[in-house]
Structure formats: structure tokens, C-alpha cells
């Protein structure tokens, strides 16, 4: 939401655009910390109760942001809201994945991410429009109201369940062991680089459109909506193909994001190009979402709650690094186009890490196949070789009598 109201917010609070952009990073930092911490803290609580509590705190955080008298208070409200949001996403992801077989995880996550895509289509431009017409605080009030609506939905439709007990109860020590797996860390880094690439640019898309492409501020909600529409289409596409072509979807989406960001850096002064590439960036970036989430759940299968939390934290590590690097580039005087180059570099690094992760995955799979293969390389049903028959000892009449 903040990406569409950075300029009026910065003017009202008396801070620079990069300082206002740090509010996006503040939210992302809260998500990074909150996802694993709250997932661990609520591991044995009923999921419905956890979702209700977290969504309530999130809504109250929006009210605090709407009433914030200073930049510092607004910053703190973003962190608190993010902590609650992170826990909500982590628990929600675990619920979504638990409802389907392993072969449909990407599609399940695509449905959940579809909510985020719809929010980008409607919520982000709506927040931008509200900020321009009625002041940036009105956007926070709108999110608070939507949080209340979401809370009613959770109460009405999420079934009450008892937390597992006895041998089935989740154990934090057992789930933490996933962090000893190199593939979990590679999945985390890939997610972070992909998210960082997109949000390095998206966080400053509004000033890029007005100051570089020459568009009027009234165009910003429309372009943000196009980005969200691309994200929705990408989520649907990724959900359909990722289960069958996991690494292919990751390669294609991240490489496409790098290419689109590079083109945006070169062609940002052309308004039609900037508008069209914003749509394509949403499409490319969100195509990878279901695959990246499914990959994390696959490599951290023994810890579904922390897998969801780790995926959420990974996305928001990128959402923290991206705006921060973008702010550094702008503060250095290199302009908004340099932010697109920064995103392209992060995406290119994401492609390299994906390639390495694919090699590790193939090696691990080969070792497992070798470990479970039969001892002898023969056709099914073929007789196994037997030891040669030992010759009988010579007949000894005396021994025979004994």
C-alpha cells in the first residue's frame, strides 16, 4: 500500500522519499522476525484462535498508523503490524499445505497467494487513490476496516480444531533441525533474491513513473493495478505449471524478472514502455511464487509450520533488502532508473542460486536412489548368483563309523 502513497506521506511527515521508503522495509523486517518467532510461539495453539488473535493485532496496528502523530510512531506501528501479519501468513500457509497432497502444494499456495495478487490488483491502487484524494491516513483506515472484515471471515469459516497432542504434538526442537539442511538455506536465498529484485523497483515505482516517465500522479493507481493484474495472472500460471516443472518455473520466472527490470532501466523515460513493463514485471515475479513456496515445503517437509514461517521470512528478507538498496541508490544521486538496474542484478543472482540449488537437488536425489537401489544389477525376476559349490571332503571310513 505504501508504495502508492510515498509522496504525500513524505510531504506530510517532513521526510525524504528514501526515508518514507524505509517504512516498507520496517514492515518487512517485522515480517522477517515475526514469522519464525510467532510460528514457534504458537506451535501448539489451535490454529483458528491464533489466526483470530494475529488478525486483531494487525487491524489495531493500522489504526495506530492512521493516528500516528510522528514518523517514529508510524514506524513502530508498521513493525507491530508486520509481526502479526507474519504469524498470520505462516500459520495460514501451513493450513493450506496440510489440506492437499504433496503433488498439489504449488497449486494450494497459488490459491493463497492469489489473495495477495487480488490485493495488488485492487488494494494497492485503491490505497494510492485514497491517499491522493483524502490523505494518506485514509488508506490506513481502509486497511483497518478490511482487517475487520477478514476477521469476521476467519471466525465464520475457519473450523475450530484442537491442537495435536501426545506423539502427534509438534516439537520445536525437531522442527528446528530443518535449518541443518543446505537445501533449506538455498531455497531461502532464492526467495529473498527474487523478492528483493522486485521490491527494489516496486517500492519506488510511483516516483519513477512521475519523475522519469513523466506520467501524472493520477496515473499511478492505474499502473499499480496493472502490476497487480500481472501478478494475478502470474500466480494462476505458476500454480498450474509449478507442480510438474518446479525448477523450470523458478528459472523462467526469475530470469524473466531480470530481463524486464533491465528493459525498464533502459526504457523508463518512455511512458508506454514503463506502463507495459510494469504489467510484465508483475506477471514474471508472481509466476515464481507458488514454485518458491512449494520448494520450501518440499525441502522442509518434516517441519510444516516452520517451513511456512521460513518462506514468509524469506520473502520479507527480500522486501527489506530491496527497498533499502533502492534507497541507497537514490540517495547516491544515481536516479530512479538505477533502482531498476539494482533489481535486475538481484534477479540475475537469483538465477545463479537456482542453478546451484538444482545441482544440489539432483545430487541428493541420485544419492537417495543409489541408497535404495537393489544390491545386484539384474533384470526383475532374474536368479541371483549363488556361491560356488564346495567339493565334498574325501570319504573317511573311520570318521563315518564315529
Amino acid at each position: 500500500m505504501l508504495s502508492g502513497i510515498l509522496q504525500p506521506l513524505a510531504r506530510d511527515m517532513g521526510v525524504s522519499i528514501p526515508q518514507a521508503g524505509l517504512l516498507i522495509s520496517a514492515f518487512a523486517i517485522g515480517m522477517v522476525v515475526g514469522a519464525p518467532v510467532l510460528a514457534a510461539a504458537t506451535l501448539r495453539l489451535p490454529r483458528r484462535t491464533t489466526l483470530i488473535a494475529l488478525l486483531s493485532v494487525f487491524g489495531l496496528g493500522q489504526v495506530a498508523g492512521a493516528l500516528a502523530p510522528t514518523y517514529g510512531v508510524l514506524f513502530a506501528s508498521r513493525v507491530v503490524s508486520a509481526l502479526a501479519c507474519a504469524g498470520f501468513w505462516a500459520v495460514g500457509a501451513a493450513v493450506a499445505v496440510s489440506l492437499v497432497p504433496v503433488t498439489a502444494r504449488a497449486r494450494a499456495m497459488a490459491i493463497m497467494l492469489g489473495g495477495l495478487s487480488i490485493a495488488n490488483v485492487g488494494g494497492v491502487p485503491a490505497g494510492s487513490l485514497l491517499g491522493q484524494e483524502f490523505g494518506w491516513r485514509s488508506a490506513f483506515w481502509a486497511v483497518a476496516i478490511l482487517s475487520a472484515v477478514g476477521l469476521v471471515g476467519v471466525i465464520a469459516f475457519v473450523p475450530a480444531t484442537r491442537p495435536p497432542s501426545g506423539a502427534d504434538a509438534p516439537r520445536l526442537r525437531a522442527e528446528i533441525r530443518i535449518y541443518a539442511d543446505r537445501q533449506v538455506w538455498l531455497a531461502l536465498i532464492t526467495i529473498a533474491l527474487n523478492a528483493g529484485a522486485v521490491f527494489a523497483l516496486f517500492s519506488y515505482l510511483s516516483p519513477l513513473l512521475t519523475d522519469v516517465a513523466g506520467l501524472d500522479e493520477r496515473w499511478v493507481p492505474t499502473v499499480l493495478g496493472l502490476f497487480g493484474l500481472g501478478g494475478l495472472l502470474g500466480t494462476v500460471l505458476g500454480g498450474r505449471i509449478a507442480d510438474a516443472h518446479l525448477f523450470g518455473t523458478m528459472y523462467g520466472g526469475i530470469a524473466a524478472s531480470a530481463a524486464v527490470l533491465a528493459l525498464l532501466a533502459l526504457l523508463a523515460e518512455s511512458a508506454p514502455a514503463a506502463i507495459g513493463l510494469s504489467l510484465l514485471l508483475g506477471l514474471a515475479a508472481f509466476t515464481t511464487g507458488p514454485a518458491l513456496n512449494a520448494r520450501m515445503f518440499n525441502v522442509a517437509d518434516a517441519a510444516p509450520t516452520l517451513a511456512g514461517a521460513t518462506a514468509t521470512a524469506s520473502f520479507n528478507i527480500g522486501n527489506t533488502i530491496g527497498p533499502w538498496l533502492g534507497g541507497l541508490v537514490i540517495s547516491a544521486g544515481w536516479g530512479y532508473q538505477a533502482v531498476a538496474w539494482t533489481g535486475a542484478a538481484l534477479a540475475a543472482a537469483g538465477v545463479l542460486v537456482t542453478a546451484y540449488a538444482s545441482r544440489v537437488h539432483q545430487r541428493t536425489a541420485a544419492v537417495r536412489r543409489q541408497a535404495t537401489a537393489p544390491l545386484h544389477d539384474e533384470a526383475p525376476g532374474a536368479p541371483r548368483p549363488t556361491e560356488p559349490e564346495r567339493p565334498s571332503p574325501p570319504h573317511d571310513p573311520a570318521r563315518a563309523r564315529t
Side-chain angles (χ1 to χ4, degrees), residues 253-283:
I254 300 174
S257 294
V260 171
L261 286 163
L263 286 172
L264 192 53
L266 293 170
L267 304 174
E269 294 181 359
S270 166
I275 293 171
L277 289 169
S278 296
L279 170 66
L280 291 178
L281 180 60
L283 176 65

Side-chain angles (χ1 to χ4, degrees), residues 301-355:
D301 189 57
T305 304
L306 281 188
T310 304
T312 300
S314 304
F315 277 106
N316 285 281
I317 289 172
N319 295 352
T320 303
I321 293 172
W324 174 67
L325 289 176
L328 289 180
V329 168
I330 296 168
S331 298
W334 294 346
Y336 294 112
Q337 285 167 279
V339 174
W341 284 120
T342 304
L346 289 171
V351 173
L352 295 177
V353 175
T354 300

Side-chain angles (χ1 to χ4, degrees), residues 93-144:
V95 171
V97 169
S98 69
L99 298 175
V100 298
V102 174
T103 54
R105 283 176 170 174
R107 184 165 294 187
M109 289 309 303
I111 293 172
M112 184 173 174
L113 290 172
L116 180 60
S117 300
I118 292 170
N120 281 325
V121 172
V124 174
S128 176
L129 188 62
L130 282 172
Q132 291 176 13
E133 297 296 328
F134 304 104
W136 61 269
R137 296 178 189 273
S138 65
F140 280 80
W141 285 116
V143 175

